[in-house]
Amino acid sequence: PGHYVEPVFTPDGKAVVYRKATGGGLVSPLWSRAPGIYIARSAAEDPVLVTKKGRRPQFGADGSRVFLVSEEEQKDVDRRTLWSIDLDGSDERTHFASEWATQFAVSPDGQWVAFTERWNAYLAPFERTGREVVIGPETKAYPVARLTRDAGENLQFSGDSKRVYWSLGPELFERELREAFAFLAGAPEKLPDAPEKGRNISFTAKRPVIDGSIALVGARIVTMKGDEILEDGVVVVNGNRIAAVGKRADVAIPSGARVVDAAGLTVIPGLIDVHAHGPQAVNGVTPQRNWASHANLAFGVTTIHDPSHDTNSIFAASELQKAGLVLAPRTFSTGTIVYGAQGDAKSQIDSLDDAKSHLRRLKAVGAFSVKSYNQPRRDQRQQVIQAARELEMMVVPEGGSLLEHNLTMVVDGHTGVEHSLPVEKIYADVQQLWGPSKTGYTPTLIVGYGGIWGENYWYQHTDVWRDERLAAFVPKFVVEPRSRRRTMAPDEDQNILRSAGIVKSILDAGGHAQLGAHGQLAGLGAHWELWLLKQSGITNLQALRCATLSGAQYLGLDRDLGSIEVGKLADLVVMEKNPLDDIRNSESIRWTMLGGRLYDARTLAPADGRAGEAPNYFWRGMQDGMPTQTATETCAGCGN
């Protein structure tokens, strides 16, 4: 048992070199001792440690040496290196160093190196100089050729070292080395441009099909069709869509439908968190049971949009959810941010073509939205917006700490502004600008600017660690350190209680606001944000609309989500208490329905008679997420 990644055969095929990683957090912390690079020569022999550092092992022509990549944090610019070491752990040599490279690949004959820097892939000769060589796209000491038009990852060479491959989304690209350098034998007179299209290597997967009908009968139904509230109502779900909704006297329940008595309960559309961060994978491994995703579902969050996440992790989780292979809210994302500041993830934009290139690479992996983050100049941000219009995408920027900065985002036509305005209140001038623009406002009051964050208010005023639903899905090592020993402040210092009023000002001006919980605390955080939206002075119904229909409209998903109407996807939340009476009743969830499947919100066991059981987690039975041991028990980690 262990956390094993990045396996590679030695050139002779007789051994496997791999990286042993560590767990904890999203996955079990067990079997995390002695991480490093190991070689396994046979099933009969114990693996042998080669080195404690490095990742992505690979080989060139010499099967006795393994190449590795390392990163070292430094004050201004991190240092990344490609280095090698003998399989007996001796004779370490650094070959290439870079400020921004994120991937290296060595050709099987050891004569070439490919690398990815700031999204694009490059090729260079692997010259043995006997000392470290600084490598990058602008290297002048020896030739470097750009391979990609927009981006490339998963770099590999062909077995004969004559071609290099990379991927982008569902496409596999390739280029012969002689097409990259004119000095190679057989090179064409004019070198071709980087390929725009690759070989489609995608595959299809079946979505789960829900058979039969289910009817929720006798509930109060908050449909989100205007101010419509149906008392003694019925929602009929056929498969994964809503087939009928209305008062009991007006709705015919299909023969054979499973009838669920919901008398005295309140049904609302599933909550939509448009600014939801949270863990999805560790070391490239997506867990089958993600407690953070399950916590969101248990608290009624049926759709999330993550405006900043590792591209591969979030879209892998999204596709697994669609295929029914993991239980999670519907998952959407911008992928990695279109970042304007320094770092290996920087997206340099100096023209409209640059902006379109960055947006194309994100659209290729499944993004319909992008996050413009810290692009320093206004014209750069405008180029991102224009590129998005041409590519039919949405742009949500990171709200800055200056009001003037935020207002230019509105004027320039961003889809919305993420994070709260950094002032206590706005006046008619801002209302007159913001309201008619229809720019969305996602205030994330839970992390509001200008002083103490909104989450601190709820940590102070509620005993979070006593929340039984939360404790069933979120481990103690996440909940307790922050909640049991909390920072206290008088209510007059809680600036968010005043600045929340901006939400009402924007809504009063005809604008839109939506719920974003920023991933501060899985599940419960969405309700904290909902309650803070109510603190702005709006009605309970308006706050619920921000958390449902407004979020769907913001993401362009309102044809299928956000309200309880015939034909829409059956994402519902059933509450024991009426949130229209008290917004804090939103937490009283009995059932969550996702795509027609009804789940017990206290356990996530199926509650509709269909097969399935409540999920279990590695940290249950552990003290603070770590293994427990008594005198009569064996160690859960070593078996002794």
Side-chain angles (χ1 to χ4, degrees):
H3 308 270
Y4 303 119
V5 295
E6 302 163 4
V8 59
F9 279 106
T10 54
D12 61 11
K14 295 181 178 180
V16 173
V17 176
Y18 61 93
R19 178 163 67 94
K20 181 182 180 185
T22 58
L26 189 60
V27 297
S28 173
L30 295 177
W31 302 100
S32 293
R33 281 188 175 182
I37 304 297
Y38 286 80
I39 183 168
R41 300 185 185 278
S42 74
E45 300 178 24
D46 289 336
V48 176
L49 177 68
V50 177
T51 176
K52 294 181 179 180
K53 64 178 185 177
R55 60 184 179 87
R56 294 189 178 177
Q58 55 188 294
F59 288 90
D62 184 357
S64 67
R65 294 185 67 80
V66 61
F67 289 91
L68 298 160
V69 179
S70 291
E71 296 93 14
E72 300 173 22
E73 290 187 5
Q74 297 185 345
K75 180 179 179 182
D76 297 317
V77 178
D78 291 348
R79 169 181 161 84
R80 294 166 172 81
T81 56
L82 175 70
W83 55 283
S84 66
I85 192 171
D86 278 345
L87 290 176
D88 63 5
S90 65
D91 193 21
E92 179 180 325
R93 305 175 201 166
T94 299
H95 304 284
F96 294 102
S98 168
E99 293 180 348
W100 312 121
T102 53
Q103 294 184 24
F104 287 98
V106 178
S107 63
D109 64 6
Q111 299 301 306
W112 300 92
V113 61
F115 63 96
T116 295
E117 179 170 319
R118 288 180 170 170
W119 311 113
N120 276 291
Y122 301 86
L123 178 68
F126 194 153
E127 298 292 345
R128 286 354 188 240
T129 64
R131 56 184 178 178
E132 175 184 303
V133 173
V134 176
I135 196 170
E138 305 302 323
T139 298
K140 304 299 182 184
Y142 53 88
V144 174
R146 177 167 163 172
L147 299 171
T148 53
R149 180 183 69 150
D150 297 323
E153 59 181 352
N154 301 314
L155 305 176
Q156 298 282 344
F157 284 87
S158 60
D160 59 8
S161 300
K162 292 182 178 181
R163 290 178 304 281
V164 63
Y165 297 88
W166 67 92
S167 67
L168 177 59
E171 293 186 320
L172 176 68
F173 294 81
E174 64 180 277
R175 193 167 188 181
E176 292 192 29
L177 272 59
R178 62 187 178 87
E179 295 177 333
F181 293 111
F183 59 78
L184 291 179
E189 185 173 337
K190 183 181 184 302
L191 297 180
D193 293 333
E196 295 184 8
K197 296 291 293 181
R199 186 186 313 168
N200 191 321
I201 57 171
S202 66
F203 58 92
T204 58
K206 293 182 179 179
R207 293 175 182 263
V209 176
I210 306 299
D211 295 324
S213 298
I214 185 170
L216 304 177
V217 179
R220 176 183 303 103
I221 304 172
V222 185
T223 67
M224 293 301 158
K225 286 181 61 178
D227 295 338
E228 180 181 65
I229 310 294
L230 301 175
E231 299 291 345
D232 194 21
V234 175
V235 180
V236 177
V237 174
N238 184 25
N240 66 348
R241 297 216 174 236
I242 297 170
V245 57
K247 294 187 176 181
R248 189 198 297 252
D250 301 328
V251 175
I253 299 174
S255 174
R258 183 180 185 87
V259 176
V260 176
D261 183 4
L265 307 181
T266 299
V267 181
I268 70 168
L271 301 181
I272 298 175
D273 187 342
V274 306
H275 192 125
H277 302 306
Q280 299 289 353
V282 179
N283 288 311
V285 176
T286 305
Q288 293 171 293
R289 294 183 298 275
N290 183 326
W291 54 259
S293 295
H294 292 180
N296 281 325
L297 281 177
F299 281 87
V301 178
T302 55
T303 298
I304 65 167
H305 176 260
D306 191 327
S308 176
H309 204 103
D310 173 72
T311 296
N312 290 324
S313 298
I314 192 73
F315 288 114
S318 174
E319 293 184 2
L320 288 166
Q321 188 278 330
K322 290 175 186 175
L325 298 174
V326 298
L327 178 60
R330 303 180 192 276
T331 301
F332 304 95
S333 180
T334 62
T336 303
I337 55 179
V338 180
Y339 195 48
Q342 291 289 18
D344 60 4
K346 181 174 182 176
S347 300
Q348 185 67 43
I349 295 175
D350 294 313
S351 67
L352 177 58
D353 285 341
D354 287 343
K356 287 195 286 189
S357 178
H358 287 297
L359 269 61
R360 281 195 302 261
R361 65 175 169 81
L362 290 165
K363 189 172 183 177
V365 296
F368 60 70
S369 58
V370 296
K371 187 170 188 179
S372 177
Y373 195 121
N374 279 357
Q375 289 295 331
R377 300 194 316 270
R378 187 175 181 183
D379 68 305
Q380 293 169 309
R381 299 191 293 273
Q382 291 170 334
Q383 288 161 358
V384 173
I385 294 171
Q386 180 59 32
R389 289 184 179 129
E390 295 184 19
L391 293 171
E392 298 182 320
M393 302 179 76
M394 299 184 293
V395 183
V396 293
E398 177 80 356
S401 58
L402 296 174
L403 177 62
E404 295 83 354
H405 186 203
N406 296 148
L407 296 183
T408 66
M409 294 174 176
V410 176
V411 171
D412 290 343
H414 287 86
T415 306
V417 175
E418 304 292 300
H419 293 304
S420 63
L421 298 182
V423 291
E424 185 172 313
K425 60 182 67 177
I426 59 172
Y427 298 92
D429 55 345
V430 176
Q431 285 181 290
Q432 291 165 6
L433 169 67
W434 202 301
S437 76
K438 304 303 179 184
T439 306
Y441 181 47
T442 311
T444 61
L445 300 169
I446 199 169
V447 292
Y449 285 128
I452 301 173
W453 286 2
E455 66 172 348
N456 293 60
Y457 178 84
W458 299 115
Y459 275 119
Q460 177 175 330
H461 287 83
T462 58
D463 291 343
V464 177
W465 73 94
R466 300 187 194 278
D467 189 306
E468 294 182 1
R469 189 193 315 272
L470 188 71
F473 295 98
V474 182
K476 286 184 177 182
F477 63 77
V478 173
V479 175
E480 294 200 350
R482 184 73 184 275
S483 64
R484 294 183 73 95
R485 300 183 180 182
R486 46 201 162 163
T487 301
M488 308 291 280
D491 280 1
E492 57 264 29
D493 287 357
Q494 304 283 352
N495 69 294
I496 204 68
L497 301 182
R498 298 185 297 277
S499 64
I502 294 174
V503 173
K504 184 177 188 303
S505 297
I506 288 176
L507 293 178
D508 288 347
H512 301 279
Q514 48 282 332
L515 181 148
H518 201 253
Q520 294 308 106
L521 186 57
L524 183 56
H527 293 265
W528 286 353
E529 184 71 11
L530 174 64
W531 304 343
L532 287 168
L533 290 169
K534 162 63 180 174
Q535 293 271 20
S536 73
I538 61 178
T539 67
N540 291 345
L541 181 59
Q542 285 178 303
L544 291 170
R545 182 174 289 111
C546 291
T548 54
L549 183 58
S550 293
Q553 291 169 335
Y554 183 61
L555 299 176
L557 302 174
D558 50 307
R559 185 178 67 178
D560 290 306
L561 299 172
S563 61
I564 305 176
E565 299 182 71
V566 172
K568 289 199 173 185
L569 289 165
D571 290 0
L572 306 172
V573 180
V574 184
M575 300 175 181
E576 296 175 348
K577 300 177 183 178
N578 186 0
L580 299 176
D581 293 337
D582 183 348
I583 199 65
R584 295 280 295 276
N585 288 340
S586 68
E587 197 188 347
S588 66
I589 301 171
R590 179 177 293 184
W591 298 305
T592 297
M593 178 177 282
L594 177 66
R597 291 293 309 267
L598 194 67
Y599 296 93
D600 183 333
R602 291 181 175 83
T603 65
L604 285 191
D608 52 12
R610 295 185 172 104
E613 56 186 27
N616 200 3
Y617 308 104
F618 68 85
W619 43 265
R620 288 182 178 169
M622 292 184 178
Q623 177 67 40
D624 299 326
M626 296 301 293
T628 57
Q629 184 177 8
T630 67
T632 59
E633 291 178 325
T634 60
C635 171
C638 63
N640 295 321

